[in-house]
Amino acid sequence: MPTELITPDLEMSLHLDSFAPRSARHHVGLIDRPSPDLRDVVALLTSEIVSHAVQRCDGSGRDVELRAWMPDDVVRVELRAPQELLDWPREHDGAEYEVLLLDLLADRWSIDAGEPAACMWFEIDRHVDPREASH
């Protein structure tokens, strides 16, 4: 991970209940650095990965960690949770809504296995409008 991503702009614990996706969307939306259109995409993808974990926890009410970085060149969002909450079905054909959104809107995404928690993340490269860079 590049050195500029060492300190997250957002780091929070989320309780996986029906309000978790909305809470994640809200907190990511409070980070004021990205343009409104990028903020909307980041909020949508964040909500989707949190919703995926909520659906997989079957009401067990676990806590997970959400972190986000928004430096000038890339946006990165991570959800750290037990592996079983982040796994996609092995037989998925890419038709799942969350996978389609991640494939279409994120530049990169993955699930990194780990102990005690796995990490599901996505990154979106930030492209500066040349007209804005000259001001």
Side-chain angles (χ1 to χ4, degrees):
M1 186 178 300
T3 56
E4 58 271 343
L5 295 182
I6 291 175
T7 304
D9 294 299
L10 171 70
E11 189 168 14
M12 66 179 291
S13 178
L14 276 174
H15 185 70
L16 290 182
D17 59 17
S18 61
F19 299 105
R22 183 181 324 158
S23 178
R25 214 173 28 248
H26 171 75
H27 284 90
V28 166
L30 292 176
I31 304 172
D32 62 353
R33 291 189 195 147
S35 61
D37 57 335
L38 180 57
R39 186 178 313 124
D40 291 345
V41 170
V42 171
L44 172 65
L45 292 179
T46 300
S47 178
E48 289 301 321
I49 65 174
V50 171
S51 293
H52 176 78
V54 168
Q55 291 169 353
R56 305 229 1 148
C57 81
D58 295 326
S60 62
R62 296 188 182 180
D63 290 334
V64 297
E65 181 182 355
L66 179 66
R67 300 189 311 175
W69 293 263
M70 297 194 187
D72 293 338
D73 57 342
V74 66
V75 171
R76 181 179 174 101
V77 175
E78 295 181 353
L79 182 65
R80 293 187 176 275
Q83 182 79 35
E84 65 271 12
L85 299 183
L86 300 181
D87 278 342
W88 295 100
R90 296 210 186 284
E91 302 293 323
H92 82 72
D93 59 4
E96 290 84 4
Y97 182 70
E98 299 93 343
V99 173
L100 289 173
L101 284 177
L102 286 163
D103 285 343
L104 287 172
L105 300 176
D107 290 300
R108 292 165 296 287
W109 71 273
S110 185
I111 301 170
D112 300 335
E115 290 296 328
C119 179
M120 183 173 196
W121 58 269
F122 66 85
E123 292 181 345
I124 300 173
D125 295 329
R126 298 180 73 172
H127 304 285
V128 177
D129 185 334
R131 296 172 295 197
E132 292 177 18
S134 63
H135 289 118

